[in-house]
């Protein structure tokens, strides 16, 4: 979308917001009790009795779902000043995330990472989360849902470590509302956002319209980096009859990053750990015209039909269209002999991806052998097409001083040229059927089961000269059946325990939407399985809740280097993880709220050979790279006066290995933030927030053993938020 069109969309949004806000505010002056009641009702929706959306398609609560279920709702996003989907994920115990430009939200959870953690948008998997799930400005999202461990039975191939679902705000028949946000802070960061939900006809409305838009900018904390992002989401809900509702939802995302920061050269410090090269922090060794950008369009048509005694049917027709472009020098290493930073990794790349599909879900309550039961059944078909246009130049580009600030232009490098030449097109067609059941045995026990069978057809066309390892065209088909069975039991009115077994399937290497012949060949899908037991409880007369889960996951048949034939791979590897996760949310007194989570994982490469210089080397017994053993988070919020509140947050991440060889580690880190909020009126608040207040320099993600991706230094922002 051209910038002028984006500006027009945001302008229209803000005009509608301003007009509607004035109308709603005027109405509220005559009926303050109604407004207060609305706040109270919304507050009561938190806790273990909320709907377990994202973990099941059944009508079940978090308490009675035998799984680790996490939700980050809109109130939490706002209270914590969450800026992007990346920051929202800190609410999930044991999870770490980083977003180097060549990755999306690069999530590591329960010992698994990359494509082994599925990331979805409104329940839709574009099967390219390692890139497509780039951090998005949080304004347009209603909540983030997550389920720990294998969940292919819900979302299809993948999801060994877990699934994360980003849910967009949608038109709502319950009430008119409007809101806005303005934020400015360190590193040239700014956000301007607005949204409105309007019912046509008041409480008897047959149509509701929601429109949200946000524009964000950031200069970055490294030399000459500049980011600009747009997000726009609109939806129109129409009550076609008392039992039939249709919603049309459109969404647009645009991210423009100039001279992108890819990481910093690293050295082995005095502590024996991998750390940033002295003098390199804040330097940008990318070319002056380095670039990453993406433009994403979403379209969804949702039809909800209440068929009475026969149940409820929801049909979702969707289309996704994304164009991503890269033009960078991406790799930097310190060369002591030449006293400079060696640059390499020249890549100009384009991804052109479209996904079209339809999912139909049916849910019905009934009885099974005289016992109350729920059923769901689903049918999904999708077509995923992606063409990649890579242009890469091997070898070194040059050697630049550590203090270098403007190291040349991309097209000054010999061998580079403007334009895009297609490399390969991957087409992935999926057909899947699924079912879930929840049967209750008396008042204390519930048995939840799920099953999914899918067929995946992959067809790859090579647009370049064919070779033995990259033929002109090849295809593969896969079939997988995955499931979950879990038993939940009430041990008191407010406490449950559960045990479950779940399975997953995913490609042995790479991602189907981009994988080449050498990664997949004639291999079948890898298999994952999990055993999990846990407990969930409310206490202190409902003022607190806590969860605890213990799990073990094993992934088999992943692709590894053939120890007997250098250059070949075999689908015989194994990786495993065992761990504990705990959460706490308690209000010991009315003015104070304490929230915390903790994750511990022992992750292992059980059977794994890595190709090192053409020689297979065993990594059995090692920990996967960038996988910390412990991650903890704490949030404290205190009301100190009728209109004032303060709070602090702490995040601690243990040290991680930088590579599969486990030869080097990066240091663990702890980050501290704080805020002060003034509730100027019931509708308007002003918040000053500091992040990384100790100004800790820390490694967020290791990129091999020669580069590190650093986290953001200290920053402060001021935010004005309004809702009506």
């Amino acid at each position: 979308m051209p910038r002028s069109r984006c500006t027009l969309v945001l302008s229209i949004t803000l005009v509608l917001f301003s007009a509607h806000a004035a109308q709603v505010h005027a109405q509220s002056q005559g009926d303050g009790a109604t407004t207060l009641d609305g706040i109270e009702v919304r507050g009561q929706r938190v806790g273990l009795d909320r709907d377990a959306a994202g973990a099941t398609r059944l009508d079940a609560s978090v308490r009675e779902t035998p799984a680790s279920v996490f939700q980050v709702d809109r109130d939490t996003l706002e209270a914590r000043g969450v800026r992007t989907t990346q920051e929202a994920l800190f609410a999930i115990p044991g999870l770490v995330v980083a977003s180097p430009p060549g990755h999306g939200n690069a999530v590591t959870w329960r010992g698994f990472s990359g494509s082994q953690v599925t990331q979805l948008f409104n329940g839709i998997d574009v099967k390219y989360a390692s890139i497509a799930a780039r951090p998005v400005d949080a304004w347009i999202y209603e909540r983030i849902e997550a389920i720990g461990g294998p969940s292919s039975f819900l979302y299809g191939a993948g999801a060994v470590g877990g699934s994360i679902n980003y849910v967009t705000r949608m038109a709502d028949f319950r009430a008119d509302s409007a809101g806005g946000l303005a934020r400015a802070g360190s590193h040239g960061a700014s956000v301007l956002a607005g949204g409105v939900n309007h019912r046509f006809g008041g409480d008897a409305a047959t149509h509701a319209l929601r429109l949200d838009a946000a524009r964000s900018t950031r200069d970055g904390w490294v030399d000459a980096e500049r980011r600009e992002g747009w997000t726009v989401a609109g939806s129109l809900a129409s009550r076609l009859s008392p039992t039939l509702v249709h919603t049309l939802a459109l969404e647009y995302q645009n991210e423009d990053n100039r001279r992108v920061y890819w990481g910093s050269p690293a050295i082995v410090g005095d502590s024996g750990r991998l750390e940033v090269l002295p003098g390199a922090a804040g330097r940008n060794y990318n070319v002056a015209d380095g670039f990453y950008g993406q433009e994403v369009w979403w379209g969804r048509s949702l039809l909800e039909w209440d068929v009475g005694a026969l149940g409820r049917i929801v049909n979702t027709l969707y289309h996704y269209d994304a164009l991503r472009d890269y033009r960078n020098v991406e790799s930097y290493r310190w060369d002591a002999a030449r006293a400079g930073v060696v640059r390499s990794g020249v890549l100009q790349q384009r991804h052109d991806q479209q996904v079209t599909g339809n999912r139909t879900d049916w849910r019905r309550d009934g009885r099974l052998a005289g016992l109350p039961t729920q059923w769901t059944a689903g049918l999904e078909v999708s077509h995923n097409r992606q063409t990649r246009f890579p242009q890469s130049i091997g070898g070194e580009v040059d050697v630049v001083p550590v203090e270098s600030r403007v190291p040349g232009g991309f097209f000054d490098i010999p061998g580079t040229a403007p334009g895009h030449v297609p490399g390969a097109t991957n087409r992935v067609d999926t057909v899947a059927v699924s079912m879930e059941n929840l049967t209750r045995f008396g008042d204390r026990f519930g048995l939840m089961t799920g099953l999914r069978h899918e067929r995946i057809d992959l067809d790859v066309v090579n647009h370049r000269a064919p070779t033995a390892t990259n033929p002109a065209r090849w295809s593969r088909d896969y079939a997988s059946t995955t499931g979950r069975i879990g038993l939940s039991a009430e041990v008191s009115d407010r406490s449950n325990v559960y045990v479950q077994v779940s399975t997953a399937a995913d490609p042995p290497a790479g991602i189907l939407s981009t994988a080449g012949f050498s990664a997949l060949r004639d291999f079948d899908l890898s298999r994952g399985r999990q055993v999990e037991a846990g407990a969930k409880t409310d206490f202190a007369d409902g003022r607190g809740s806590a969860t605890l889960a213990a799990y073990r996951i094993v992934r088999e048949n992943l692709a590894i280097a053939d120890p007997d034939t250098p250059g070949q791979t075999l689908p015989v590897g194994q990786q495993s993880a065992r761990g504990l996760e705990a959460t706490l949310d308690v209000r010991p007194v009315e003015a104070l709220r304490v929230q915390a989570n903790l994750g511990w994982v022992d992750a292992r490469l059980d059977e794994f050979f890595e190709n090192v210089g053409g020689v297979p080397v065993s990594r059995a017994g090692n920990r996967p790279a960038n996988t910390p053993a412990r991650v903890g988070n704490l949030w404290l919020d205190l009301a100190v006066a009728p209109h004032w509140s303060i709070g602090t947050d702490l995040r601690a991440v243990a040290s991680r290995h930088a590579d599969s060889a486990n030869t080097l580690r990066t240091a663990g880190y702890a980050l501290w933030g704080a805020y002060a909020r003034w509730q100027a009126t019931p509708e308007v608040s002003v918040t000053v927030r500091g992040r990384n207040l100790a100004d800790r320099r820390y490694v967020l993600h290791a990129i091999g053993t020669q580069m590190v991706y650093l986290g953001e230094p200290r920053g402060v922002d001021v935010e004005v938020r309004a809702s009506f």
Side-chain angles (χ1 to χ4, degrees):
M1 178 186 285
R3 182 173 300 181
S4 59
R5 291 171 59 191
C6 291
T7 305
L8 177 61
V9 169
L10 183 59
S11 299
I12 294 173
T13 301
L14 293 176
V15 169
L16 289 173
F17 157 65
S18 301
H20 184 68
Q23 175 187 357
V24 174
H25 180 65
Q27 293 173 348
S28 69
Q29 297 306 301
D31 191 5
T34 301
T35 302
L36 291 175
D37 287 344
I39 293 174
E40 290 299 321
V41 169
R42 186 174 59 195
Q44 293 171 1
R45 294 172 59 193
V46 301
L48 298 177
D49 291 320
R50 68 185 183 275
D51 185 68
T56 178
R57 293 188 175 92
L58 296 162
D59 183 13
S61 68
V62 171
R63 184 193 307 278
E64 61 188 332
T65 301
S68 296
V69 183
F70 309 103
Q71 295 180 3
V72 191
D73 60 21
R74 185 70 223 170
D75 289 343
T76 301
L77 294 173
E78 294 182 1
R80 296 180 183 172
V82 169
R83 296 173 294 182
T84 67
T85 51
Q86 175 181 331
E87 294 180 351
L89 300 183
F90 297 164
I92 301 173
L95 185 150
V96 290
V97 56
S99 300
H103 301 75
N105 274 341
V107 172
T108 298
W109 191 17
R110 293 197 169 188
F112 296 87
S113 59
S115 59
Q116 281 79 59
V117 179
T118 293
Q119 298 184 68
L120 310 107
F121 301 89
N122 299 295
I124 301 166
D125 183 8
V126 301
K127 299 191 183 301
Y128 199 35
S130 59
I131 296 294
R134 288 284 301 163
V136 180
D137 294 331
W139 176 262
I140 66 170
Y141 291 107
E142 180 65 28
R143 64 185 183 275
I144 287 86
E145 307 164 342
I147 175 174
S151 43
S152 295
F153 63 91
L154 275 176
Y155 301 118
V160 179
S163 293
I164 300 165
N165 185 29
Y166 307 100
V167 182
T168 307
R169 288 175 161 183
M170 297 281 284
D172 192 341
F173 285 110
R174 290 176 296 178
D176 292 341
S177 63
L181 166 70
R183 181 191 296 130
S186 303
H187 319 305
S190 67
V191 177
L192 179 63
V196 60
N197 185 84
H198 182 71
R199 300 171 299 166
F200 296 90
D203 292 338
T206 56
H207 299 282
L209 173 69
R210 180 164 193 99
L211 184 61
D212 290 281
R215 179 181 182 270
S216 63
T217 61
R218 186 191 68 214
D219 289 337
W221 58 273
V222 297
D223 295 336
E225 185 182 26
R226 172 73 176 177
R227 178 189 180 275
E228 179 177 331
W230 284 91
T231 53
V232 181
S235 56
L236 174 65
S238 301
R239 202 183 303 276
L240 305 180
S241 76
T243 61
L244 190 65
V245 176
H246 177 264
T247 302
L248 175 64
L250 301 174
E251 189 173 326
Y252 174 77
Q253 302 169 16
N254 183 287
E255 183 182 1
D256 186 301
N257 293 269
R258 302 289 170 169
R259 202 171 173 201
V260 194
Y261 169 63
W262 285 83
S264 303
I267 61 169
V268 180
D270 295 337
S271 64
R273 292 192 172 112
L274 195 68
E275 56 189 44
V276 65
L277 173 71
R283 301 295 186 192
N284 192 340
Y285 298 102
N286 200 354
V287 286
D289 55 349
F291 174 78
Y292 165 70
Q294 72 169 359
E295 187 175 52
V296 175
W297 287 93
W298 276 101
R300 291 179 292 137
S301 172
L302 296 87
L303 192 65
E304 303 176 57
W305 184 23
D306 184 348
V307 289
L310 295 178
R312 181 171 178 266
I313 296 174
V314 178
N315 190 85
T316 304
L317 175 66
Y318 58 87
H319 181 71
Y320 167 85
D321 193 310
L323 189 67
R324 293 175 284 269
D325 281 301
Y326 299 81
R327 184 182 63 243
N328 303 280
V329 174
E330 303 175 3
S331 300
Y332 328 115
R333 66 176 176 85
W334 168 245
D335 188 322
R338 290 184 279 182
V341 175
V342 179
R343 301 192 305 158
S344 59
V346 178
L347 179 64
Q348 181 175 229
Q349 173 75 279
R350 166 169 286 183
H351 302 152
D352 185 6
Q353 184 182 14
Q354 297 83 37
V355 182
T356 303
N358 189 85
R359 179 177 178 90
T360 303
D361 290 295
W362 166 76
R363 182 175 66 81
R364 183 177 185 272
D365 296 341
R367 304 193 75 81
L368 180 65
L371 300 172
T373 189
Q374 286 184 53
W375 292 93
T376 68
L379 171 65
E380 183 171 8
V381 296
S382 69
H383 174 71
N384 189 324
R385 176 189 180 278
Q386 181 161 200
T387 301
R388 300 171 308 288
F389 304 78
Q391 179 190 123
S392 61
I393 307 296
E396 297 181 1
V397 175
D398 53 20
V399 180
V400 298
V402 174
E403 65 275 11
S404 177
R405 288 187 177 273
V406 187
F410 184 86
F411 294 114
D412 296 332
I413 300 171
T416 60
H420 300 281
V421 178
T425 297
N426 287 38
R427 294 180 176 87
V428 184
D429 292 298
T430 304
V431 178
V433 292
S434 60
M435 61 79 60
E436 285 187 272
N437 175 263
L438 172 60
T439 300
R440 294 179 173 87
F441 300 86
D443 296 330
R444 295 172 61 87
F445 297 95
L447 181 67
M448 184 177 288
T449 55
L451 196 67
R452 178 184 174 109
H453 179 79
E454 64 183 325
R455 179 180 175 86
I456 304 171
D457 294 316
L458 171 66
D459 180 75
V460 181
V461 176
N462 174 20
H463 301 293
R464 307 260 173 110
T467 65
T469 58
N470 192 15
R473 186 166 189 167
W474 59 281
S475 61
R476 285 283 289 118
D477 60 83
Y478 307 91
S480 70
T481 301
T482 55
R484 171 178 69 185
I485 180 169
L487 179 66
S488 177
E490 286 189 14
V491 295
S492 71
D493 290 342
R494 293 187 174 273
S495 300
N496 283 51
V497 295
Y498 70 88
V499 62
Q500 61 118 313
V501 177
S502 56
T503 61
D506 70 322
I511 302 170
L512 292 181
S513 61
T514 60
F517 180 76
S518 59
L520 297 178
R521 295 167 56 195
D522 56 353
F523 302 158
D524 200 356
L525 298 175
S526 70
R527 304 292 168 175
R529 62 183 182 275
Q530 171 182 263
V531 177
E532 178 178 323
K536 306 175 184 183
T537 185
D538 288 328
F539 58 91
D541 296 325
R543 297 195 310 274
S545 64
T547 68
L548 176 66
Y551 61 86
R552 175 170 168 78
I553 305 174
V554 177
R555 181 189 178 214
E556 299 173 325
N557 303 329
L558 62 152
I560 63 174
D562 185 345
D564 299 319
T565 310
Q568 298 295 315
T569 56
L570 291 174
V572 296
Q574 179 174 302
Q575 181 178 342
S576 64
R578 58 177 181 165
L580 297 170
E581 293 172 351
T583 67
L584 174 68
D585 185 349
V586 61
R587 195 180 291 274
V589 295
E590 188 61 31
L592 175 65
R593 186 176 186 183
V594 181
Q595 296 172 287
N597 64 49
L598 179 66
W600 169 82
V601 63
D602 178 18
R604 288 289 180 266
L605 299 169
D606 300 315
E607 185 175 350
F608 192 83
F609 282 84
E610 184 178 26
N611 193 325
V612 180
V615 178
V617 179
S618 175
R619 304 304 191 196
N622 288 0
R623 175 180 288 269
N626 289 301
T627 303
R630 297 172 304 279
V631 180
N633 295 279
L634 173 68
W635 297 268
L636 300 176
D637 299 279
L638 177 66
V640 294
H643 301 288
W644 288 90
S645 59
I646 59 174
T648 188
D649 59 90
L650 298 170
R651 178 170 174 81
V653 176
S655 65
R656 296 134 291 155
H657 287 292
D659 57 354
S660 298
N662 288 184
T663 56
L664 289 172
R665 289 177 175 265
T666 57
Y669 59 88
L671 304 178
W672 167 53
Y675 76 89
R677 178 176 294 121
W678 173 45
Q679 195 70 42
T681 72
E683 298 85 10
V684 178
S685 65
V686 181
T687 304
V688 178
R689 186 179 301 274
R691 308 172 197 270
N692 189 10
L693 287 174
D695 202 21
R696 178 73 180 271
R697 180 180 295 168
Y698 62 101
V699 175
L700 193 61
H701 192 80
I703 306 173
T705 59
Q706 296 181 331
M707 282 180 64
V708 291
Y709 189 80
L710 298 178
E712 186 178 346
R714 178 169 51 216
V716 178
D717 57 55
V718 179
E719 171 189 288
V720 179
R721 189 181 294 269
S723 60
F724 303 94

